[in-house]
Amino acid sequence: MTINPFSRRAALRIAGVSLLLAALASPLAWYVARGSAEETTVALAAEESRRLLQHYAAFGPQDKSTDEHALAAAQAIVGGLFDIAEIYDAAGNKRAEAMTASGAAIEALLPPHQKPKGDAPDYLSMHLPDGRWALRVMVPLADAGYFEGVRVVPEWQRRQVRDSALSAALLAALAALLCGAAIYPVVLHLSRENEQKAREVLDSHIAMMEALGRAIAKRDSDTGAHNYRVAWTAARIAERMGFRSGAMQALIAGSFLHDVGKIGIPDAILLKPGKLDAEEFAIMRTHVAQGEDIVHGMDWLDGAHAVVAGHHEKWDGSGYPRRLAGEDIPLAARIFAVADVFDALCSRRPYKEPLPFAAAMEILERDSGSHFDPAVIAVFRELAADIHAQLADCGESELRRLLTVCVRRHFEV
């Protein structure tokens, strides 16, 4: 099953957002998990140091007895959770210090000593110049001073913290990706509903064009196939000239409804078998203004205005109703003019037989630069033979199918 462009874009965007969230969430989860592991280690160290220090916390004035108590406390702590243990009195004077061989090896690498900032345990995570990771823990001891311990985090614990942080990061990334995967079917379902609604709206637009087109054709003694042919032919030219989306929609609507203003022309003039006199021709020309009034403000049909208003203008300025010339004529109207005249020349009418393809092209080439935009003729020249062959002997139902396929291709429904 093919995926329509909207669904493909939705999938790519959801995948992109999911990957972005995964990329953002992973390092954040890593950071949080690592911080949590550090805080757990610090909390354990603080609790253990408090437990061991509670018998030695009542330090009085510095003397041999209290210093011995402080040293005993420091020695009891060091070698377990800490590699360096230091006890300070309330004034910040060091009362005792003990350390392991590992502590002695890193003591010179540590940043300067600092007092706790408050009444709660605090810590500093340090990555030493030799690559080792150490935690400095400061534990206040009520009014007796504070304890400072340094722990060189062993390799097994570093791996444990790293693995825990990595697991959290991977879970966060997986959650983001799974969230995107869960959202996509919902978006796809909504897009299909939206596609169905868009198709219904587009079908109603096409039906509106067809109804108006048939009404015009019946008044003008035509089958209505002309409207399908010129709209499809104009769309083929416009595709080659880069028309897309709204511009193509407006061109097709304008091509289909170019003569909608003929609804307001009296039958005596519209159906007159002979040549119109000057007064009658002046009335016939008013079908352009009447067509403009009909499509103006009609929402989707409002885009048809350029073709309805300009399909009788000529490149050299000799057309009507505004005698526009050159690029002052909207490009959609210039494209339509070529499609309209080509179809008129190649079609059978009650009063004439269709011209051969070569004869019709000779007339278009002759009028290039006077009636027609030479740039449009240059594009049409490359397409004309294929268009003529494809439209030959096409019935109205096949023409309708061709135009419907064209419309839906450009509006992705």
Side-chain angles (χ1 to χ4, degrees):
M1 182 181 72
T2 59
I3 301 178
N4 67 32
F6 179 87
S7 299
R8 188 181 301 111
R9 287 198 302 270
L12 290 175
R13 288 173 182 174
I14 290 173
V17 170
S18 298
L19 289 172
L20 178 61
L21 288 176
L24 293 174
S26 296
L28 180 61
W30 171 282
Y31 176 79
V32 171
R34 182 186 176 92
S36 177
E38 289 180 356
E39 289 173 1
T40 300
T41 301
V42 171
L44 179 62
E47 181 62 28
E48 181 67 12
S49 61
R50 275 202 180 114
R51 186 180 66 81
L52 292 170
L53 288 167
Q54 63 183 346
H55 300 296
Y56 309 101
F59 301 133
Q62 186 169 0
D63 57 31
K64 183 176 181 180
S65 175
T66 56
D67 285 346
E68 288 175 355
H69 280 77
L71 180 60
Q75 289 173 339
I77 294 172
V78 81
L81 287 172
F82 295 103
D83 293 285
I84 299 176
E86 297 175 344
I87 299 175
Y88 294 82
D89 61 21
N93 301 310
K94 185 187 295 185
R95 302 291 294 271
E97 179 182 43
M99 64 183 70
T100 64
S102 295
I106 67 165
E107 185 178 24
L109 303 176
L110 298 176
H113 165 77
Q114 53 184 296
K115 294 177 65 175
K117 297 178 182 177
D119 296 331
D122 194 11
Y123 78 96
L124 176 66
S125 179
M126 303 172 291
H127 291 278
L128 304 178
D130 63 358
R132 280 181 287 185
W133 176 28
L135 294 174
R136 171 182 273 169
V137 181
M138 287 77 75
V139 183
L141 302 173
D143 296 328
Y146 60 93
F147 163 75
E148 179 178 292
V150 176
R151 174 178 175 79
V152 179
V153 181
E155 183 58 32
W156 68 265
Q157 191 173 18
R158 294 180 68 171
R159 285 197 304 269
Q160 187 180 59
V161 170
R162 182 180 64 245
D163 292 346
S164 175
L166 181 60
S167 297
L170 290 176
L171 284 174
L174 182 61
L177 294 175
L178 288 176
C179 183
I183 288 173
Y184 176 69
V186 177
V187 173
L188 188 61
H189 175 72
L190 292 175
S191 74
R192 284 173 178 166
E193 286 188 349
N194 183 65
E195 178 185 338
Q196 179 60 32
K197 296 297 182 185
R199 187 183 295 275
E200 291 172 2
V201 170
L202 185 60
D203 285 343
S204 71
H205 288 161
I206 295 173
M208 184 187 301
M209 286 194 310
E210 290 175 335
L212 286 171
R214 281 193 296 269
I216 301 162
K218 287 184 180 297
R219 289 221 56 225
D220 206 12
S221 299
D222 193 4
T223 63
H226 168 70
N227 289 330
Y228 288 110
R229 287 195 300 267
V230 294
W232 186 79
T233 300
R236 287 287 306 275
I237 301 170
E239 282 178 341
R240 185 66 64 90
M241 298 188 76
F243 275 48
R244 296 292 183 272
S245 301
M248 183 65 81
Q249 184 177 8
L251 172 69
I252 292 172
S255 299
F256 207 88
L257 301 175
H258 64 283
D259 275 340
V260 68
K262 286 185 177 180
I263 289 175
I265 302 300
D267 286 348
I269 296 174
L270 186 65
L271 303 177
K272 182 177 179 179
K275 186 176 181 181
L276 300 178
D277 61 29
E279 183 178 352
E280 291 169 332
F281 190 58
I283 294 172
M284 177 63 82
R285 283 184 168 187
T286 65
H287 81 276
V288 175
Q290 294 191 63
E292 291 183 66
D293 290 340
I294 290 171
V295 300
H296 177 68
M298 286 185 65
D299 204 14
W300 188 66
L301 295 183
D302 195 46
H305 181 270
V307 173
V308 172
H311 69 282
H312 282 297
E313 302 289 355
K314 295 184 179 181
W315 183 255
D316 62 4
S318 62
Y320 69 90
R322 296 178 177 84
R323 300 184 68 83
L324 299 177
E327 294 186 358
D328 289 338
I329 305 169
L331 179 55
R334 285 179 266 151
I335 290 172
F336 172 77
V338 173
D340 188 34
V341 173
F342 178 74
D343 186 72
L345 293 173
C346 294
S347 299
R348 178 176 280 102
R349 296 293 171 84
Y351 51 86
K352 77 171 191 69
E353 291 296 312
L355 286 181
F357 173 74
M361 287 303 297
E362 184 179 346
I363 292 173
L364 291 179
E365 295 284 4
R366 182 193 67 201
D367 290 343
S368 177
S370 56
H371 188 165
F372 307 114
D373 179 353
V376 177
I377 290 293
V379 172
F380 181 66
R381 187 182 297 124
E382 300 176 0
L383 303 172
D386 180 64
I387 289 173
H388 184 266
Q390 194 160 355
L391 294 181
D393 301 321
C394 263
E396 190 167 336
S397 61
E398 176 61 16
L399 290 169
R400 185 183 190 280
R401 187 193 67 79
L402 286 175
L403 183 61
T404 300
V405 170
C406 177
V407 169
R408 287 179 176 162
R409 180 171 67 252
H410 283 285
F411 304 112
E412 301 178 353
V413 295

